[in-house]
Amino acid sequence: MATSTEPVAIVCVGMAGSGKTTFMQRINAHLHSKKEPPYVVNLDPAVRNVPFESNIDIRDSVNYKEVMKQYNLGPNGGILTSLNLFATKIDQILTLLEKRTAPPPPPEEGAPPGSVKKQIKNIIVDTPGQIEVFVWSASGDILLGSLASSFPTVIAYIIDTPRSGSTSTFMSNMLYACSILYKTKLPMILVFNKTDVKDASFAKDWMTDFEAFQAALQVEEDGGGMGGADGTGAGFGQGSGYMGSLLHSMSLVLEEFYKHLRVVSVSSMTGDGIDDFFVAVQEKKDEFNRDYKPELERRRKQRDNEKEGKRQKELGKLLADLNMDNTSKGKGKPKPKPKKEEPETISDMEDAEDEDDEDGGLVEPDEEYEENDADEDEDGLKKRYQQALKDEGAPSADDFSFAKYLHSSNMG
Ligand SMILES: Nc1nc2c(ncn2[C@@H]2O[C@H](COP(=O)(O)OP(=O)(O)OP(=O)(O)O)[C@@H](O)[C@H]2O)c(=O)[nH]1
């Protein structure tokens, strides 16, 4: 059962330049000032300098430049492959996180009050600016999924407020956030950053008041511009009715999506709004435990059942290959192997080799196998197979003797 001391994982996601790293630095400093130092994880392999100390840094285990050189990749491929390599260590990472965030042992008698260790309550995670590389990759899935299966996990989507000033750039950002929410299926906080440059109240209004968004849209249409790259609304679309009606429809569609979000405005530069952000984290943590966790557990159970079904199927196939199933029971001899035609061409030969490979290296039982088999109890054999097919736990002594038995019968 969830407790309020249970650590929460905050994953910072956002477009390049939105201020993720500066925001990470700010919340890190904030937590330190509250004497609640967080556990810091950096998942951006391409970042040059991180202005804070990380407890786990992807760059310590994967050299992004080397990965690019070795696999002949571009920058995005390099980040993706680095994340893939890092994701293979997820078990070790989780073990470490669980160990570090566990409640400390009770203090020894007479220990000075300052020496008592505090439990880590926040894990903060920085991600690459190439959102799609992280959110839409298998490794991102593994990293986020594993984190969420161990800790309440919250996505902080960082938005560059000054660059979201026009209705179209604002809408693009919201659609991106929407896709992340549906892909990760984790609670999300929208963090409007850089509010020292531009106040985010306009964005809050647009999200809560449909009329306000429509009015802004009208002003932009009348002004003949539908949002330029600078976020000011100049230069793109030139007031085309198409853009206006698309944005209008989008705002209606997104109304439902907005209800699931918590919005905060902060300045990573000045520290404004950071307290608000942590209130939002607490709310979303409770929401995770209430709504998301049962769904996660349901999905995990479903996956386990599917895995078990597959395992049983494999077992059936294996026994059928060895002619150990009920249909062959009592018949004594395994089915004779059909005589293969001599290959006439190279491709025939390759096909024949492929067919052999499909057996997974298992050869048909021969006469000697059959003799050995007579002594072998079928049920016992099934059990041993089941044991061998289990993907967890160390192999038993039985497994080794059975492997030896299989090996010798194949060699015979
Ligand atoms: N004025 C202002 N500038 C900010 C704020 N937060 C970040 N910046 C600036 O925005 C720029 C980008 O910030 P970063 O923290 O490097 O952004 P990022 O999202 O980590 O960028 P990538 O690492 O490329 O993904 C830097 O020049 C920061 O100084 C803020 O709250 N206010």
Side-chain angles (χ1 to χ4, degrees):
M1 192 61 211
T3 63
S4 59
T5 57
E6 179 187 32
V8 59
I10 305 165
V11 182
C12 296
V13 178
M15 294 191 192
S18 56
K20 289 179 301 298
T21 308
T22 319
F23 179 71
M24 283 277 293
Q25 185 183 13
R26 175 58 67 184
I27 56 175
N28 185 27
H30 176 88
L31 291 168
H32 272 280
S33 72
K34 301 259 172 205
K35 305 264 178 292
E36 296 276 0
Y39 203 74
V40 184
V41 182
N42 172 41
L43 292 183
D44 187 352
V47 69
R48 285 237 182 97
N49 301 309
V50 183
F52 45 83
E53 212 171 294
S54 303
N55 300 93
I56 297 179
D57 194 329
I58 186 171
R59 296 172 306 164
D60 292 339
S61 25
V62 187
N63 185 336
Y64 162 71
K65 286 254 164 77
E66 267 309 305
V67 168
M68 272 174 68
K69 225 192 272 168
Q70 200 175 329
Y71 296 94
N72 203 14
L73 297 166
N76 284 351
I79 293 175
L80 183 66
T81 308
S82 302
L83 280 168
N84 286 344
L85 292 170
F86 191 68
T88 61
K89 297 175 195 288
I90 189 68
D91 283 346
Q92 286 157 269
I93 298 161
L94 282 184
T95 311
L96 200 62
L97 285 176
E98 274 162 6
K99 215 165 117 191
R100 293 285 184 265
T101 55
E108 282 171 22
E109 238 176 82
S115 68
V116 180
K117 266 193 165 181
K118 266 189 153 184
Q119 186 190 0
I120 290 174
K121 294 205 189 114
N122 295 279
I123 300 165
I124 58 176
V125 184
D126 197 7
T127 61
Q130 290 76 354
I131 305 182
E132 68 285 1
V133 174
F134 180 69
V135 176
W136 291 92
S137 63
S139 46
D141 241 13
I142 293 169
L143 292 165
L144 277 179
S146 310
L147 205 57
S149 67
S150 303
F151 307 98
T153 304
V154 171
I155 303 280
Y157 182 64
I158 319 294
I159 297 171
D160 188 332
T161 313
R163 293 189 75 87
S164 304
S166 81
T167 52
S168 56
T169 46
F170 170 80
M171 189 55 75
S172 310
N173 236 325
M174 290 303 108
L175 288 172
Y176 219 127
C178 185
S179 79
I180 295 169
L181 181 82
Y182 284 107
K183 177 72 175 69
T184 60
K185 297 184 184 70
L186 291 170
M188 181 184 273
I189 303 169
L190 287 192
V191 181
F192 281 93
N193 190 26
K194 309 192 186 181
T195 50
D196 54 303
V197 180
K198 186 177 171 75
D199 189 73
S201 51
F202 75 92
K204 286 184 180 172
D205 285 348
W206 289 354
M207 291 176 77
T208 49
D209 183 359
F210 178 72
E211 303 284 323
F213 186 76
Q214 291 310 310
L217 198 56
Q218 196 59 52
V219 170
E220 280 178 29
E221 274 192 319
D222 293 345
M226 289 304 310
D230 59 357
T232 58
F236 174 61
Q238 297 307 315
S240 78
Y242 160 72
M243 267 303 274
S245 76
L246 180 66
L247 290 173
H248 174 88
S249 316
M250 287 297 186
S251 63
L252 282 172
V253 171
L254 288 180
E255 251 192 322
E256 180 60 30
F257 159 70
Y258 293 153
K259 286 184 196 148
H260 296 275
L261 302 173
R262 175 70 154 78
V263 181
V264 291
S265 38
V266 305
S267 165
S268 307
M269 220 47 135
T270 64
D272 262 8
I274 297 296
D275 281 323
D276 243 17
F277 171 74
F278 279 102
V279 173
V281 168
Q282 196 53 47
E283 282 173 29
K284 287 290 165 188
K285 176 184 165 185
D286 296 342
E287 189 183 311
F288 178 95
N289 285 325
R290 193 185 57 235
D291 303 335
Y292 288 74
K293 211 168 166 182
E295 172 61 15
L296 270 179
E297 267 155 22
R298 189 191 63 74
R299 275 189 277 150
R300 192 180 315 147
K301 226 179 237 163
Q302 189 182 350
R303 255 201 321 268
D304 286 351
N305 287 344
E306 278 167 15
K307 225 164 143 187
E308 181 57 29
K310 250 192 206 159
R311 194 182 286 158
Q312 290 298 337
K313 223 164 129 191
E314 290 298 317
L315 175 68
K317 265 199 225 160
L318 209 56
L319 289 173
D321 274 354
L322 289 171
N323 248 350
M324 292 302 300
D325 60 1
N326 287 338
T327 52
S328 66
K329 196 179 180 183
K331 281 185 191 162
K333 282 193 176 187
K335 277 185 211 149
K337 205 173 179 177
K339 213 175 166 229
K340 273 189 189 163
E341 281 175 19
E342 281 297 312
E344 285 177 5
T345 62
I346 296 219
S347 58
D348 279 351
M349 217 157 98
E350 282 171 348
D351 286 348
E353 278 171 9
D354 285 348
E355 266 174 40
D356 286 346
D357 284 350
E358 273 167 22
D359 294 344
L362 273 181
V363 291
E364 286 281 317
D366 55 15
E367 294 297 317
E368 192 180 325
Y369 169 80
E370 207 181 308
E371 273 168 36
N372 289 341
D373 177 41
D375 301 325
E376 188 68 46
D377 167 35
E378 188 181 328
D379 281 346
L381 196 56
K382 261 190 185 174
K383 268 189 203 139
R384 288 176 190 207
Y385 265 126
Q386 242 149 0
Q387 175 71 21
L389 280 167
K390 272 190 190 159
D391 47 13
E392 57 211 4
S396 66
D398 276 357
D399 289 329
F400 287 122
S401 61
F402 181 57
K404 245 176 119 188
Y405 160 74
L406 243 193
H407 185 67
S408 61
S409 65
N410 286 340
M411 290 299 167

